[in-house]
Amino acid sequence: GAGVSQSPSNKVTEKGKDVELRCDPISGHTALYWYRQRLGQGLEFLIYFQGNSAPDKSGLPSDRFSAERTGESVSTLTIQRTQQEDSAVYLCASSTRDRKNSPLHFGNGTRLTVT
Amino acid sequence: LAKTTQPISMDSYEGQEVNITCSHNNIATNDYITWYQQFPSQGPRFIIQGYKTKVTNEVASLFIPADRKSSTLSLPRVSLSDTAVYYCLVGSTGGGNKLTFGTGTQLKVEL
C-alpha cells in the first residue's frame, strides 16, 4: 500500500521567507510525528499528534515553528521567517494505535535549504 | 523517556556478522525496543522489534537480556548494501508517547 508521502521533496528558500511542508500519513494511522535531521546528525523530535488530542509541541525549537493536523489526515509544518540554521531534512512519520509496539513509518523527508 | 546510547560508528567487511549494542538503562515496563535503518536521502525504515529475549526475522536478530537495560542488533553476513545508519529506539507508540531517537550508529561495510 501507499506509504507516508511528503512534499515538496526539496525546497530552497530565501532567509526571512515562510515555508510550508506537507505530510500525508498512511491511511488509518492516528499518530503523526515530525522530526528534523541536520546534515550528518540524528533525528530531533519536533511535534507529535495523536488523533484529536492536543499535540505535544515540546520539541519545536522556536515560535517560528508551528504545525497543524486536521483529524487523522494531512499535516503541515510551517516555518516563519526562515533562518539559515533551519536548513535540514524534515521527516514525517506515522503509526497506528492498535497495539503498543506499532513501528513508525517514515516518509523520505523534505530537504529545506535556506539561502 | 528512555535515553539510548550507541557507538557512533562501526566498520566491517562483507560476509562478517555485525553486532551493534544499545544501552537503555532507564527503560520502562511498557517500552519496546525497535531498530531502524536509514540510508542517505531516505527516511528511517523498521528492521526489527522486541520486548525481551531474542527475536529473529529475515534480516536481523535482536538480543535482549533479562534486565532489558541493553539490546544488541545482529546482522548476519553483511554486504555493502548494509552500509547505513542504525538507530535504536525505546518507547511505546500505543500509549501516544513522544519517541526520541538517539544519535545512531554509522555502519560502514567494505569489501
Side-chain angles (χ1 to χ4, degrees):
Chain A
V4 176
S5 177
Q6 292 188 245
S7 61
S9 56
N10 283 283
K11 175 71 176 178
V12 180
T13 190
E14 293 180 353
K15 178 181 173 181
K17 295 285 181 66
D18 298 351
V19 295
E20 191 172 276
L21 313 179
R22 176 186 171 106
C23 173
D24 284 87
I26 293 173
S27 178
H29 280 195
T30 58
L32 188 147
Y33 301 77
W34 283 97
Y35 289 89
R36 179 169 69 179
Q37 188 171 37
R38 291 197 166 107
L39 185 64
Q41 303 296 312
L43 282 75
E44 176 187 1
F45 168 81
L46 296 178
I47 189 169
Y48 162 74
F49 295 90
Q50 174 60 63
N52 293 317
S53 302
D56 179 345
K57 304 179 181 180
S58 60
L60 294 178
S62 77
D63 59 7
R64 296 187 295 106
F65 288 72
S66 62
E68 292 184 348
R69 186 185 189 196
T70 304
E72 298 178 358
S73 62
V74 170
S75 176
T76 55
L77 176 68
T78 302
I79 308 173
Q80 296 179 309
R81 304 181 302 283
T82 52
Q83 304 295 312
Q84 288 187 329
E85 65 260 27
D86 298 335
S87 295
V89 175
Y90 290 83
L91 290 160
C92 174
S94 69
S95 72
T96 66
R97 199 181 171 180
D98 57 349
R99 51 195 176 98
K100 288 193 292 187
N101 56 337
S102 301
L104 300 181
H105 298 260
F106 281 86
N108 284 329
T110 294
R111 180 177 299 278
L112 175 65
T113 303
V114 182
T115 61
Chain B
L1 297 169
K3 176 180 167 60
T4 60
T5 303
Q6 304 173 231
I8 293 175
S9 64
M10 295 182 71
D11 294 330
S12 184
Y13 293 96
E14 277 203 315
Q16 292 192 331
E17 178 183 84
V18 171
N19 296 307
I20 305 173
T21 297
C22 179
S23 297
H24 28 81
N25 290 321
N26 59 339
I27 187 170
T29 302
N30 290 334
D31 287 343
Y32 284 76
I33 300 158
T34 310
W35 285 80
Y36 292 84
Q37 176 190 55
Q38 185 179 29
F39 296 112
S41 302
Q42 295 184 21
R45 68 174 187 176
F46 172 85
I47 302 175
I48 195 167
Q49 182 182 75
Y51 184 80
K52 61 181 178 181
T53 65
K54 177 184 174 182
V55 179
T56 297
N57 63 20
E58 63 276 9
V59 298
S61 294
L62 179 59
F63 299 91
I64 305 169
D67 65 7
R68 303 202 325 125
K69 293 183 183 298
S70 67
S71 58
T72 299
L73 173 72
S74 181
L75 304 172
R77 299 178 298 282
V78 294
S79 64
L80 293 175
S81 63
D82 292 317
T83 295
V85 178
Y86 293 82
Y87 293 96
C88 160
L89 179 66
V90 174
S92 169
T93 56
N97 293 1
K98 177 177 80 176
L99 297 175
T100 302
F101 284 76
T103 55
T105 298
Q106 171 67 64
L107 173 64
K108 181 178 179 182
V109 180
E110 300 176 286
L111 288 173

